[in-house]
Amino acid sequence: QDGKLLNTLDEHASTVWSVDFSPDGKILASASSDNTVKLWNVQDGKLLNTLDEHASDVLSVDFSPDGKILASASDDNTVKLWGFPVQGSKMTLVALRGNEWLVYHPQKLYYHASLQGDEYAAIRFNNEWRSPYPLELYRDVLKRPDAAQAWATPQPEIEPKPLLLWWLTGGQDQLMWGSFGLLGVMGILISMWFLYRRKTDPLEIAKRFFKQAEFTHDFLSPHSLRLSTNEEPRMRWLWLWDMLPTDPSDPPEVLYQHRQTSSSSFRLYLVYAEQPPSQATLQQWKKQLGGEIIPLLSRMLEKAIASGQCAERLRELEEPYLTRTDPYIEAKPIDDPNWFYGREALLTDLARMLAQGQHVGLFALRKIGKTSLINQIRQRFAASPTVFIDCQAFSPDAEVYFAEILKQLQEECKRYGISRLPRLPNAPDATQFRTHVLALYQRWMARGSRIPFLLIFDEVDQLLPRREIQANATTLREYLRLFKLLRGMAQGERCLSVLAVAYRPEINRHNQLQAEVGENPMFQSFHEVHLGFLLPDESESLLHNIGMWKDIHWDPDAARRVFFYCGGHPLITRLFASHACDSGTLKHISLERVEETAQDLQRSFRKNEIGNYFEEAIWSMLRKDEQHILTQIRQQPELSLHESEIPPEAEDALTSLEHFGLVRIEEEHLQLTSQFLESWLKRKLR
């Protein structure tokens, strides 16, 4: 009703894919890729129960209309039904090959199945590995057409049928050869498991990464390595963070013991697969161990292995922690998730929508963090084929885009070990493009995944120039050819989703391109996301947490005051922080230091980077009607213009300024979002 955040439920260890409320609104169920369903008390947000019988990602949950049963669907190929109060799943539905299926009660032996569904199951007695009895031997006792009624009766008593099993298996010789066959299959499965573990286990990935980077290693413990090179005597250790049960404040004893016996400086790499260690933990470990702590995301290491650039990538990942004195200055987009602050909820929402096959349009000012956000999305999709295209680097020719998309998809599928890939066409037309993408997607689905390919188009407005200029007709036709095909494949085959990144949302708003060109195939097809500035708590978190890497500490009132001047703009906040800490040399930032820095920057707007950003990336990019509204607000007493004073023809301009984060509305009055913007406009308009 009032838009306020009521609660944050953060017990899941990985992506949350689906939620559902019970019909009475008292219970919330959430499904996650940590293989669990969690039940929450809506009133106080307390965790009531964790349902953990699934063996893979739980993708969806849904309550029955009467609220007595909860259904959960998982990537383990099963649907489980849970009754209340929950005491284990009530029934499990398994989808089998050939459209066969089997539904059973996990604690009882009754079942119902399709015509041949029970041929895929067997019964073991006394947990013995040998002699499984085909379920069909007990069909007359256990198979019940009314499963719900059968499960209300006591568990049936059945006994082994060794003679019948002997007869069915063809005697001793057949049993012997069958045993050899079973051992062979088990050997293959075990080998496949070890290969899979080698490819996905973070410690195995780390070992391969550092080997390619020309390190040797020996084990300190089952979860840690000691790394060394011939060129550098410095001690380096690696610890698998995910093997620790919680976020411990103290380092593991084995690390502490080895540190005690060494007098040389050291470097510790903490390798993690999903959740990184907290900032507080990293600082505590750094203090206790007396060295450098560097967290490494295993997916980033895996990509470096595939590209063969492990040594170069390691230097890039180490640089912010080791050689940089000013932690706030970052000339390139953020890649490492440990240096990405704010917008966590938005990042999760974007990943969920794209994984479900929705198209998303991301729109924002220049240098507001779009590319950094894209990098984090690509990290979230590191386990599925992803294409990234910067439209500024390509000519407006649909065939050029067809070839580049196919090239990147082919490389991605190869990276995931998909074999028997079709041969790439030299200069693909629309038909060849469609055929090849679908062939790749069929092989991708054969791996058991249903997540669509993700296509990211950065600066997509390069393909959609101004419609009113007749000379743009050729580019608009190429845009139509490309996106008409992509939209058709996304709708018909559900094989891809598109993330389009641009300055303005014209790609989603304009229907008619030009009379002779035709209609926009993506009209109203994108879920619009407007990337504004950081919230106050996100701005403060950025200042505190980045500063902690270099022992820079902010007084609470000083960090809050920075938001007043910068409005939460991430680039301007970083630039301000760099000036406030004197490029990393000043370690304590007080309110007085913030005020002093603000005055210096406002006096020098004509020649400093913040003033230049306002001029080049904001004012010169705004349209005349948007500039006019900013001028009106600046010229009003107390910088407050009533919303009713904006004429109807200027409402779109006002909406754009709100989306950009330059203007906010408080009690129907328009206000500029930062003191720096107000000061710069004052100088600009004098």
Side-chain angles (χ1 to χ4, degrees):
Q1 187 174 6
D2 56 9
K4 290 183 178 178
L5 178 66
L6 300 178
N7 213 328
T8 298
L9 313 178
D10 56 1
E11 295 284 343
H12 280 296
S14 190
T15 305
V16 178
W17 291 115
S18 174
V19 296
D20 191 34
F21 286 96
S22 61
D24 60 8
K26 295 181 179 180
I27 297 176
L28 174 70
S30 56
S32 168
S33 57
D34 62 10
N35 303 358
T36 70
V37 175
K38 292 186 183 293
L39 303 179
W40 314 83
N41 186 319
V42 173
Q43 186 173 7
D44 56 14
K46 288 185 178 179
L47 179 64
L48 301 176
N49 210 332
T50 297
L51 315 180
D52 56 2
E53 292 185 17
H54 280 294
S56 188
D57 297 8
V58 186
L59 303 178
S60 182
V61 287
D62 196 16
F63 279 97
S64 63
D66 60 7
K68 294 181 179 179
I69 296 177
L70 175 70
S72 58
S74 169
D75 221 9
D76 63 9
N77 222 32
T78 70
V79 174
K80 291 185 183 292
L81 303 181
W82 315 78
F84 287 89
V86 176
Q87 295 177 339
S89 53
K90 190 171 183 178
M91 63 182 80
T92 299
L93 172 63
V94 186
L96 303 167
R97 290 176 297 185
N99 293 324
E100 301 290 343
W101 52 268
L102 175 71
V103 59
Y104 64 93
H105 191 295
Q107 286 79 40
K108 295 187 178 181
L109 298 175
Y110 290 121
Y111 73 92
H112 190 41
S114 57
L115 185 62
Q116 295 176 308
D118 53 7
E119 294 180 7
Y120 290 88
I123 294 177
R124 300 188 187 281
F125 291 90
N126 301 321
N127 293 319
E128 293 180 356
W129 173 250
R130 296 183 301 166
S131 303
Y133 289 81
L135 186 57
E136 58 190 289
L137 293 182
Y138 302 91
R139 186 178 291 164
D140 56 339
V141 178
L142 301 180
K143 187 172 182 179
R144 300 294 179 89
D146 189 345
Q149 182 179 358
W151 289 327
T153 61
Q155 180 172 325
E157 293 187 7
I158 57 174
E159 296 179 350
K161 300 180 179 181
L163 292 178
L164 186 55
L165 178 63
W166 179 272
W167 175 260
L168 289 176
T169 54
Q172 187 174 4
D173 290 341
Q174 184 174 344
L175 181 60
M176 180 184 66
W177 289 111
S179 299
F180 285 135
L182 180 61
L183 289 173
V185 170
M186 288 300 299
I188 293 172
L189 291 176
I190 291 172
S191 299
M192 291 175 64
W193 182 85
F194 275 109
L195 287 173
Y196 174 79
R197 179 180 177 273
R198 178 172 171 79
K199 290 186 65 175
T200 60
D201 178 66
L203 188 59
E204 291 293 329
I205 292 171
K207 286 163 59 178
R208 285 155 47 210
F209 173 86
F210 280 97
K211 182 178 180 181
Q212 282 195 24
E214 299 185 350
F215 283 81
T216 58
H217 73 268
D218 59 299
F219 282 92
L220 287 175
S221 76
H223 313 306
S224 61
L225 306 174
R226 178 167 35 220
L227 303 167
S228 59
T229 66
N230 294 328
E231 300 176 357
E232 185 180 343
R234 176 193 298 269
M235 183 186 301
R236 302 195 192 199
W237 298 335
L238 182 146
W239 186 273
L240 188 59
W241 175 256
D242 294 341
M243 297 310 298
L244 296 171
T246 56
D247 198 348
S249 58
D250 296 322
E253 186 64 26
V254 62
L255 286 179
Y256 197 72
Q257 290 174 353
H258 281 277
R259 183 69 187 110
Q260 294 280 50
T261 60
S262 172
S263 59
S264 62
S265 60
F266 89 106
R267 192 174 301 166
L268 173 63
Y269 303 102
L270 289 177
V271 177
Y272 65 97
E274 294 292 341
Q275 293 297 323
S278 70
Q279 184 70 256
T281 294
L282 292 171
Q283 296 303 321
Q284 182 67 17
W285 282 34
K286 183 177 178 180
K287 183 184 300 183
Q288 291 184 263
L289 293 173
E292 295 295 339
I293 313 289
I294 302 176
L296 299 175
L297 178 61
S298 62
R299 291 196 299 268
M300 299 177 73
L301 307 185
E302 195 172 4
K303 289 184 70 174
I305 293 170
S307 65
Q309 297 178 328
C310 294
E312 298 88 340
R313 188 63 175 134
L314 181 61
R315 285 194 292 270
E316 290 177 5
L317 294 171
E318 289 179 332
E319 187 269 334
Y321 303 94
L322 303 178
T323 62
R324 189 180 301 178
T325 58
D326 184 350
Y328 296 105
I329 290 300
E330 180 60 76
K332 60 184 184 298
I334 305 299
D335 187 25
D336 188 339
N338 292 287
W339 291 83
F340 181 81
Y341 294 96
R343 297 168 175 162
E344 281 296 328
L346 174 60
L347 179 59
T348 299
D349 288 343
L350 289 175
R352 174 182 53 80
M353 288 187 285
L354 293 167
Q356 292 173 350
Q358 298 183 48
H359 305 312
V360 176
L362 184 63
F363 311 109
L365 291 168
R366 308 288 181 189
K367 307 300 288 184
I368 200 68
K370 297 192 298 291
T371 307
S372 295
L373 185 62
I374 292 172
N375 289 342
Q376 305 312 306
I377 291 172
R378 294 175 72 181
Q379 297 287 358
R380 296 286 181 100
F381 281 82
S384 58
T386 302
V387 170
F388 174 79
I389 292 180
D390 185 349
C391 297
Q392 294 184 108
F394 294 89
S395 62
D397 185 335
E399 273 72 20
V400 171
Y401 283 88
F402 292 155
E404 181 62 24
I405 293 170
L406 288 185
K407 173 189 170 187
Q408 291 193 33
L409 278 181
Q410 190 95 346
E411 291 173 351
E412 287 283 279
C413 289
K414 208 177 282 184
R415 183 163 69 90
Y416 293 112
I418 299 176
S419 59
R420 296 182 296 111
L421 294 175
R423 188 173 183 179
L424 274 175
N426 290 328
D429 57 19
T431 301
Q432 292 172 316
F433 174 82
R434 185 179 187 279
T435 301
H436 199 90
V437 170
L438 293 181
L440 294 177
Y441 191 64
Q442 289 294 328
R443 284 160 173 76
W444 175 241
M445 287 194 300
R447 294 280 299 269
S449 177
R450 294 296 182 268
I451 297 178
F453 295 152
L454 174 59
L455 309 184
I456 302 175
F457 293 89
D458 195 12
E459 305 290 351
V460 74
D461 33 11
Q462 298 291 319
L463 278 173
L464 196 72
R466 295 173 61 181
R467 302 173 300 161
E468 59 271 20
I469 300 176
Q470 191 62 34
N472 290 333
T474 300
T475 300
L476 292 173
R477 287 193 185 95
E478 296 303 306
Y479 160 82
L480 187 147
R481 289 179 59 217
L482 173 62
F483 279 93
K484 186 176 181 179
L485 179 58
L486 295 181
R487 189 204 63 179
M489 294 176 66
Q491 289 183 344
E493 310 296 339
R494 300 184 180 277
C495 60
L496 58 88
S497 56
V498 174
L499 172 61
V501 186
Y503 181 58
R504 294 181 181 274
E506 273 81 353
I507 188 173
N508 199 46
R509 303 279 183 87
H510 293 333
N511 183 22
Q512 189 71 27
L513 298 177
Q514 286 183 359
E516 65 274 19
V517 173
E519 293 184 344
N520 178 9
M522 301 304 291
F523 175 64
Q524 295 296 322
S525 294
F526 292 101
H527 177 87
E528 289 189 16
V529 175
H530 296 271
L531 195 61
F533 299 169
L534 300 178
L535 298 174
D537 59 337
E538 293 175 330
S539 172
E540 293 177 36
S541 174
L542 181 149
L543 294 171
H544 287 298
N545 290 331
I546 291 182
M548 287 174 66
W549 289 113
K550 297 299 177 182
D551 298 320
I552 298 171
H553 299 279
W554 293 74
D555 289 344
D557 53 353
R560 285 192 293 270
R561 191 63 173 171
V562 173
F563 184 84
F564 167 76
Y565 285 108
C566 303
H569 190 298
L571 173 64
I572 296 176
T573 300
R574 282 175 173 266
L575 292 173
F576 184 99
S578 176
H579 283 278
C581 71
D582 194 15
S583 299
T585 60
L586 188 61
K587 301 300 183 181
H588 175 246
I589 313 299
S590 64
L591 179 59
E592 290 75 17
R593 176 59 181 170
V594 167
E595 297 294 356
E596 176 188 333
T597 303
Q599 296 307 314
D600 289 343
L601 288 170
Q602 289 175 108
R603 282 193 296 267
S604 61
F605 271 153
R606 179 178 57 83
K607 56 185 179 181
N608 68 41
E609 60 271 67
I610 295 177
N612 181 66
Y613 174 81
F614 281 131
E615 178 68 44
E616 298 297 329
I618 295 183
W619 185 259
S620 64
M621 301 296 292
L622 296 178
R623 294 167 179 163
K624 294 298 183 183
D625 52 356
E626 295 164 347
Q627 292 178 353
H628 181 65
I629 291 176
L630 289 181
T631 302
Q632 283 184 284
I633 297 173
R634 171 65 193 86
Q635 292 174 344
Q636 285 288 321
E638 299 182 0
L639 304 181
S640 181
L641 178 69
H642 198 275
E643 192 176 2
S644 62
E645 298 179 59
I646 303 298
E649 62 271 17
E651 288 181 353
D652 286 345
L654 174 59
T655 300
S656 293
L657 292 174
E658 287 185 85
H659 286 325
F660 287 148
L662 301 174
V663 171
R664 65 173 180 267
I665 299 178
E666 292 187 4
E667 298 181 354
E668 300 183 348
H669 284 79
L670 309 182
Q671 296 181 354
L672 302 178
T673 52
S674 78
Q675 178 63 33
F676 275 169
L677 179 59
E678 188 274 326
S679 299
W680 184 87
L681 282 171
K682 179 180 178 180
R683 180 182 177 280
K684 176 77 175 177
L685 302 173
R686 67 188 176 189

